[in-house]
Amino acid sequence: MSRVRRFLSTLYHVFFNFVLYSFRNINQKIMSKFPVWRMREETTEHVQSCIKIFKWLILPASVLYMLLMFFLFNVNVLGSVLWGLAVFFYSNFLPDLSSIYRGKTSDGGAVLPWYKRYAILLFAPLLVWILFSGIRLNWRTTETFHNFKSLIVYGVFLFAVGFFAFAKFPIQTGNIIEILVFPLYGLAGYLTHLKVDKTW
């Protein structure tokens, strides 16, 4: 049991350090004045909440979901579940990735049209890669994505991704359920982030 605890503790610290290191590098790249101590504090809050929700909700629900899908519909959803788990962890930190393009104009208004604002949310990893490639897009927005409108947009996007990734024709009941469940992982992660930030 002690070995298991040490292993889980190691995984926790690896995950925590990865998140902290990633956001610290991003903030250094954009020359943010966000203090390191505050970054560490926020990372601790979000990582602990993420792990708690995963342990008590996402993991048992995923196991039950896989068993029900296999025995009721003879469908193996392990692949989509693994992708869903990855999306859950990613979505826990997604709203803060938009900070790389957060800013205000002299009159305090946003300067980006709506489709560019939501491109920052939906394609955040690509934009982070562009940033570290030395390309600085002249995009600025006051949008923080810490709201339910952004959550809905993200959910629709994940549904589209799930449909193109997991749809098998002719579509049957089990496949429909698989497509519908996939976005729930991302929504759960996003909601966890909003809860930690006291958005709801």
Side-chain angles (χ1 to χ4, degrees):
M1 183 63 71
S2 60
R3 289 184 178 180
V4 173
R5 288 180 178 176
R6 284 200 299 269
F7 176 71
L8 293 177
S9 177
T10 300
L11 286 180
Y12 172 84
H13 285 95
V14 168
F15 181 46
F16 173 85
N17 288 327
F18 171 76
V19 174
L20 180 62
Y21 176 80
S22 299
F23 277 97
R24 186 167 57 190
N25 280 353
I26 290 173
N27 283 349
Q28 288 176 349
K29 192 70 175 179
I30 63 176
M31 294 180 289
S32 171
K33 297 180 180 179
F34 196 67
V36 176
W37 68 267
R38 181 60 182 141
M39 192 184 310
R40 179 178 290 274
E41 185 179 78
E42 281 207 8
T43 301
T44 300
E45 292 175 354
H46 284 288
V47 168
Q48 287 180 347
S49 182
C50 173
I51 296 298
K52 182 179 179 180
I53 296 298
F54 171 75
K55 178 181 178 181
W56 296 108
L57 177 62
I58 301 300
L59 183 58
S62 296
V63 173
L64 179 61
Y65 165 59
M66 286 191 292
L67 292 175
L68 289 176
M69 289 294 288
F70 182 77
F71 288 110
L72 295 181
F73 301 102
N74 195 29
V75 175
N76 182 357
V77 294
L78 177 61
S80 63
V81 166
L82 292 178
W83 278 110
L85 293 176
V87 169
F88 166 75
F89 284 106
Y90 163 73
S91 302
N92 267 274
F93 307 96
L94 174 60
D96 286 342
L97 286 177
S98 64
S99 62
I100 61 177
Y101 293 109
R102 191 173 301 154
K104 295 182 179 180
T105 57
S106 57
D107 61 356
V111 298
L112 289 182
W114 67 269
Y115 58 89
K116 285 188 177 181
R117 292 201 306 273
Y118 287 108
I120 294 174
L121 173 69
L122 303 179
F123 302 103
L126 175 61
L127 295 177
V128 170
W129 177 80
I130 289 175
L131 175 67
F132 279 90
S133 296
I135 303 172
R136 180 65 176 175
L137 298 178
N138 190 27
W139 290 9
R140 289 194 301 169
T141 178
T142 56
E143 177 64 68
T144 65
F145 302 109
H146 285 63
N147 51 64
F148 289 103
K149 181 179 179 181
S150 298
L151 175 71
I152 293 172
V153 171
Y154 183 54
V156 172
F157 174 75
L158 287 180
F159 172 78
V161 171
F163 180 83
F164 287 110
F166 305 115
K168 301 179 182 68
F169 296 95
I171 296 180
Q172 299 179 344
T173 303
N175 193 212
I176 293 175
I177 295 174
E178 183 179 14
I179 294 170
L180 292 175
V181 167
F182 175 73
L184 298 182
Y185 284 95
L187 295 178
Y190 206 111
L191 278 171
T192 302
H193 184 101
L194 297 185
K195 183 65 175 179
V196 173
D197 286 351
K198 298 179 174 59
T199 303
W200 64 285

